[in-house]
């Protein structure tokens, strides 16, 4: 087989990338390490590393330093979560091998793609290669890569290399999520409000918005027309305006300084004279966001999640048996599975791990909901 940058087999590239990210303590470090390994092989001209919510595939952050210009992010996220396009994340998630090349998905007619027409072609890019990073517990992020018009096209060898990254980097990114949860500190900053127009441009922002996002490029403020809001904000604003979407949508993002942040968007159907079309509130994430990610990251089933919640409330096996309508033996079987997945040996260790490590002030069992996908 052809050698790729000194690596004899395609499968070794994914393993090399997974080794390179082992010491990463942030998303930026993670994707920087990935790019160092795969760039000599995939030879991209732009590359964005994206993190997503494993339940909804909503954008929660990432590393965009080597990606498209920030001015393009509102339109990019609008296409992804409102309008829809070939090769989007929900499309990749439905495939056995979550890798896609835009030119192939459009059968060579790239003009069919709004992402190509509105973003790639004006910037001089010929094609886009995407790979969803997932493991058996869900999708945790993606790599979005592009080549310029004067570069050779992506081909089957690059698709094979991209496919080799899916599981090794999906596992590594899930572990990074758990590490970040353990290191987060709650923020005492008051909630912020951003009003966006039809083009996702800022109409108004309360002063605390800049404080929430002060680890980003627009730390000095968010003036009208600024394009530097976090991609996750554009994503949730686009999702709430998708055809058939509910009037509000809740998601979350990572912030370096404030940890996990809740984003809640509303569609504004006011008079045309008012430019604001979407309102987004940013505030400290609560137990719901924490437990949802922990359940996914540890791979707990809905039943295991509910039993874990009851253990954290101090209930005995007999109590849980009555509450859940299960035999004590079945409860113990579920607990053993939880212990195995979380790496603990007892109820006491479980409580210490989830509370002390992940700062969970409250957990409430809830009926499992069907997996939600971005609309568009």
């Amino acid at each position: 087989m052809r050698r790729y940058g000194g690596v004899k087999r395609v499968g070794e590239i994914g393993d090399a990338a997974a080794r390179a990210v082992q010491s990463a303590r942030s998303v930026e470090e993670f994707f920087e390490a990935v790019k160092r390994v795969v760039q000599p092989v995939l030879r991209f001209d732009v590359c964005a590393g994206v993190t997503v919510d494993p339940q909804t595939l909503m954008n929660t952050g990432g590393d965009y330093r080597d990606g498209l210009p920030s001015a393009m992010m509102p339109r990019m996220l609008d296409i992804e979560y409102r309008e829809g396009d070939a090769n989007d994340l929900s499309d990749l998630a439905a495939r056995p091998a979550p890798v896609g090349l835009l030119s192939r998905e459009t059968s060579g007619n790239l003009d069919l793609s709004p992402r190509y027409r509105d973003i790639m072609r004006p910037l001089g890019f010929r094609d886009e290669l995407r790979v969803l990073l997932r493991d058996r517990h869900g999708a945790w992020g993606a790599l979005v890569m592009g080549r310029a018009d004067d570069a050779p096209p992506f081909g089957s060898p690059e698709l094979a290399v991209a496919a080799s990254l899916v599981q090794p980097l999906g596992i590594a990114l899930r572990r990074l999520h758990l590490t970040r949860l353990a290191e987060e500190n709650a923020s005492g900053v008051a909630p912020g409000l951003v009003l966006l127009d039809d083009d996702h441009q800022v109409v108004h922002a309360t002063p605390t918005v800049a404080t929430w996002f002060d680890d980003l490029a627009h730390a000095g403020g968010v003036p009208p027309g600024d394009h530097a809001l976090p991609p996750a904000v554009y994503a949730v604003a686009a999702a709430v305006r998708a055809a058939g979407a509910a009037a509000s949508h809740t998601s979350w993002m990572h912030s370096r300084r404030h940890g996990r942040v809740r984003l809640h968007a509303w569609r504004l159907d006011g008079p045309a004279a008012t430019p604001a079309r979407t309102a987004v509130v940013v505030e400290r994430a609560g137990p719901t966001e924490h437990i949802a990610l922990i359940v996914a990251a540890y791979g707990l089933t809905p039943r295991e999640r509910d039993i874990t919640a009851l253990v954290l409330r101090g209930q005995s096996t007999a109590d849980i048996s009555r509450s859940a309508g299960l035999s004590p033996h079945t409860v113990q079987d579920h607990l053993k599975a939880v212990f195995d997945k979380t790496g603990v040996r007892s109820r006491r260790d479980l409580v210490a791990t989830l509370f002390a490590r992940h700062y969970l002030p409250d957990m409430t069992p809830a009926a499992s909901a069907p997996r939600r996908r971005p609309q568009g």
Side-chain angles (χ1 to χ4, degrees), residues 239-257:
V240 79
R241 294 179 56 197
S248 65
H249 191 98
T250 301
S251 187
W252 54 269
M253 61 168 281
H254 288 293
S255 172
R256 295 188 195 96
R257 180 169 298 185

Side-chain angles (χ1 to χ4, degrees), residues 2 7 15 36 82 95 131 159 171 221 224 292 294 314-315 323:
R2 173 183 174 185
V7 181
D15 294 336
R36 282 198 303 269
R82 184 187 66 83
R95 302 179 190 177
V131 52
L159 285 169
I171 292 171
I294 287 171
Q315 293 196 16
S323 298

Side-chain angles (χ1 to χ4, degrees), residues 20-292:
V21 302
Q22 286 180 352
S23 62
R25 305 296 293 180
S26 69
V27 165
E28 292 81 6
E29 291 179 7
F30 179 95
F31 285 115
E32 187 65 32
V34 171
K35 287 182 287 187
R36 282 198 303 269
V37 172
V38 304
Q39 205 287 330
V41 180
L42 298 178
R43 300 188 303 281
F44 48 76
D45 293 299
V46 291
C47 178
V50 181
T51 58
V52 299
D53 184 321
Q55 302 299 315
T56 64
L57 299 180
M58 288 297 297
N59 183 299
T60 62
D63 179 13
Y64 301 89
R65 292 172 295 178
D66 296 319
L68 298 175
S70 61
M72 293 294 185
M73 293 307 295
R75 180 59 180 142
M76 174 70 84
L77 275 301
D78 188 64
I79 293 170
E80 184 74 41
Y81 292 104
R82 184 187 66 83
E83 185 173 339
D85 196 3
N87 219 33
D88 62 19
L89 297 182
S90 60
D91 182 21
L92 294 180
R95 302 179 190 177
V99 176
L101 191 58
L102 189 59
S103 59
R104 293 194 179 186
E105 299 306 314
T106 58
S107 300
N109 189 0
L110 282 164
D111 284 331
L112 295 174
S113 165
R115 194 159 61 246
Y116 176 76
R117 295 194 310 267
D118 296 353
I119 298 173
M120 295 171 58
R121 184 170 59 191
L123 292 175
F125 290 98
R126 66 180 301 160
D127 209 349
E128 178 196 72
L129 173 61
R130 289 186 169 198
V131 52
L132 195 66
L133 308 178
R134 72 183 183 194
D135 63 4
R136 63 190 181 90
H137 301 305
W140 304 95
L143 290 172
V144 180
M145 297 161 279
R147 278 189 181 174
D149 287 334
D150 58 357
F154 288 117
S156 296
E158 286 80 10
L159 285 169
V161 171
S164 77
L165 304 175
V166 172
Q167 185 167 354
L169 293 185
I171 292 171
L173 193 51
R174 175 174 62 87
R175 290 172 178 166
L176 179 61
H177 275 296
L178 286 172
T179 300
R180 296 175 78 191
L181 272 170
E183 295 174 348
E184 285 181 1
N185 293 310
S187 175
V189 180
L193 171 68
V194 183
L195 301 180
L196 304 174
D197 65 14
D198 277 329
D199 297 319
H200 302 302
Q201 300 301 301
V202 176
V203 174
H204 173 75
T206 59
T208 54
V209 167
T211 303
W212 281 107
F213 302 145
D214 60 3
D215 51 4
L216 301 171
H218 64 291
V222 187
D226 180 63
H227 292 282
L229 288 173
V233 176
Y234 296 127
V236 72
V240 79
R241 294 179 56 197
S248 65
H249 191 98
T250 301
S251 187
W252 54 269
M253 61 168 281
H254 288 293
S255 172
R256 295 188 195 96
R257 180 169 298 185
H258 304 289
R260 188 174 310 280
V261 173
R262 177 189 293 140
L263 301 172
H264 196 86
W266 289 269
R267 185 172 61 249
L268 303 178
D269 298 320
T274 302
R277 289 292 174 263
T278 312
V280 181
V281 167
V282 53
E283 60 186 347
R284 181 174 66 88
T288 300
E289 289 82 10
H290 284 285
I291 185 56

